[in-house]
Amino acid sequence: MAPGSTDSTRSPSSGVLQKLLLVFSIGIAVTTYQAIQPPPPKLLGSPDGPYITAPRIKLRDGRHLAYKEYGLPRNEATRKIVVVHGSDSCRHDNAFAALLSPDLKEGLGVYMVSFDRPGYGESDPNPNRTPKSLALDIEELADQLSLGSKFYVIGYSMGGQATWACLKYIPHRLAGVTLVAPVVNYWWKNFPEDISNEAYYQQPRNDQWAVRVAHYAPWLTHWWNTQKWFPGSSVVTRNLGILSKSDKEIMLKIGAARRSHEAEIRQQGTHETLHRDMIVGFGKWEFDPMELENLFPNNEGSVHLWQGDDDVLVPVTLQRYIAKKLPWIHYHEIPGAGHLFPLFPGMVNNIVKTLLTNDEVKN
């Protein structure tokens, strides 16, 4: 149509229809955006939020970390250990303190402190959480509690993201490190594609998709694990059916042992706890642990990795590859064990004594 001409065939209502379609499209977009946004966390200490009952430190960025102390008093202990809990857990879930024999605790002079990782329990959330920020949180906790220039770290399951980061970012502060069934990122660049893919596809289909979303579309993680059309992460939904036989037997034995604090774990919401774990754990890391160098070339300390060979949550094949790439790590594989093997009788004694003395307990 030439400039200045008129369209005599155009319907008077077509402009209104276009405007209605535009408004409808905007409405759909806004509704979709709102649906995928996670709700804000329930603020600790607010009128409608959870109570604050635990001792806490204030970090340099203004956040607070809640912690719990175990073992000998700090000023009497000769060996001080920071314990990093896994997913869907908190500072109360410290099997390494609860199951350590009194003889070893006294004989080795052990003090332990566990803390609520950001968003869990009574620690403030950190929406900018990264492996590095977790390591710096641990360093600041150690400094404010006066644990000394060097301390030990034990990280379990998803606590491995913080423990690997300690090896990377605060190696000068470490007297020794133990990783227990640490969750592995399938996208670490030094994994051969065939090994990584084989382990990835061993997961149930819903967990394949859950970690894939956390890696490629982290902004969709909340929606993916809360919508009702198809199942989300097995860990988020607490689907015990995926556990190995030995893990199920352990769960039957412990029963409701931790029910007294169950509600506290997710009391600030699921997004800044389990969803954030997935985003950080399976996201794009600044480093690959398989490129780390030996922290203790003169054997003044040691790094250990413990793994069950029947763990359906963390593939043993990937841990074996990591141990092969990092021969300075002392690798301990437990036959027939699943993800919960630290709860086996005597296992905690073995793990802790091996870290502190490089001498495994003979059962």
Side-chain angles (χ1 to χ4, degrees):
M1 186 188 307
S5 64
T6 59
D7 181 5
S8 59
T9 64
R10 184 177 180 183
S11 169
S13 62
S14 62
V16 175
L17 181 59
Q18 289 177 353
K19 290 179 180 178
L20 288 174
L21 288 173
L22 177 61
V23 171
F24 181 74
S25 298
I26 292 173
I28 292 294
V30 169
T31 302
T32 301
Y33 176 79
Q34 292 175 339
I36 66 176
Q37 297 304 303
K42 298 177 181 178
L43 296 179
L44 291 158
S46 65
D48 298 324
Y51 293 113
I52 299 172
T53 62
R56 307 199 304 172
I57 64 163
K58 186 174 182 179
L59 301 168
R60 61 174 63 91
D61 64 2
R63 290 182 297 113
H64 295 82
L65 280 187
Y67 65 91
K68 184 174 182 178
E69 298 176 287
Y70 302 83
L72 299 184
R74 263 181 275 157
N75 61 347
E76 297 178 14
T78 55
R79 294 177 173 90
K80 297 165 185 176
I81 305 173
V82 178
V83 177
V84 191
H85 68 78
S87 276
D88 211 14
S89 306
C90 68
R91 67 190 184 281
H92 299 300
D93 295 299
N94 186 349
F96 303 99
L99 300 179
L100 186 64
S101 73
D103 288 346
L104 282 179
K105 190 181 304 180
E106 296 285 340
L108 296 176
V110 177
Y111 160 92
M112 289 189 193
V113 59
S114 56
F115 66 100
D116 292 334
R117 290 192 287 111
Y120 279 99
E122 297 184 27
S123 287
D124 295 331
N126 182 5
N128 299 312
R129 195 206 309 177
T130 64
K132 183 176 183 178
S133 74
L134 289 167
L136 297 181
D137 285 355
I138 289 172
E139 182 178 37
E140 197 165 353
L141 175 69
D143 286 341
Q144 292 202 35
L145 295 182
S146 301
L147 300 190
S149 61
K150 289 184 180 290
F151 50 88
Y152 296 88
V153 175
I154 297 176
Y156 173 63
S157 189
M158 193 60 88
Q161 58 185 237
T163 311
W164 284 120
C166 287
L167 290 165
K168 171 67 176 179
Y169 296 111
I170 58 168
H172 57 291
R173 302 300 306 274
L174 304 176
V177 172
T178 290
L179 297 118
V180 182
V183 172
V184 176
N185 188 323
Y186 300 95
W187 290 272
W188 286 338
K189 64 182 180 180
N190 282 289
F191 279 135
E193 187 174 351
D194 59 335
I195 293 178
S196 180
N197 283 344
E198 180 184 11
Y200 175 84
Y201 287 109
Q202 288 176 356
Q203 302 177 98
R205 183 66 61 86
N206 60 300
D207 290 323
Q208 294 175 29
W209 275 102
V211 299
R212 184 183 289 138
V213 167
H215 180 79
Y216 290 109
W219 46 270
L220 201 59
T221 302
H222 164 73
W223 177 84
W224 190 271
N225 289 286
T226 55
Q227 50 70 40
K228 306 301 182 184
W229 297 338
F230 41 80
S233 162
S234 298
V235 174
V236 174
T237 58
R238 291 174 172 161
N239 178 10
L240 303 182
I242 67 167
L243 295 177
S244 68
K245 180 181 178 181
S246 64
D247 284 344
K248 290 176 181 176
E249 291 173 350
I250 290 175
M251 291 297 294
L252 285 174
K253 289 180 181 178
I254 65 175
R258 79 173 199 176
R259 296 303 167 211
S260 61
H261 66 270
E262 190 81 35
E264 184 179 343
I265 295 171
R266 303 188 188 189
Q267 65 183 352
Q268 297 182 70
T270 304
H271 186 67
E272 288 300 336
T273 50
L274 286 93
H275 297 169
R276 187 67 62 188
D277 276 353
M278 296 176 66
I279 292 170
V280 175
F282 300 112
K284 296 176 175 63
W285 283 38
E286 297 176 348
F287 71 99
D288 185 327
M290 284 171 279
E291 295 175 348
L292 292 171
E293 297 182 355
N294 186 1
L295 268 64
F296 306 110
N298 299 316
N299 296 320
E300 64 273 30
S302 57
V303 180
H304 300 264
L305 197 165
W306 295 75
Q307 177 69 34
D309 72 354
D310 194 29
D311 190 335
V312 298
L313 299 179
V314 181
V316 67
T317 53
L318 298 186
Q319 306 289 28
R320 290 170 180 164
Y321 189 83
I322 292 171
K324 180 180 177 181
K325 292 288 288 186
L326 301 176
W328 47 269
I329 286 184
H330 301 265
Y331 180 60
H332 312 265
E333 189 171 301
I334 313 302
H339 197 65
L340 303 178
F341 72 86
L343 301 181
F344 283 175
M347 185 56 66
V348 161
N349 287 345
N350 221 346
I351 291 172
V352 173
K353 185 176 182 182
T354 301
L355 171 64
L356 301 182
T357 67
N358 268 336
D359 181 21
E360 290 191 42
V361 177
K362 299 297 187 292
N363 293 319

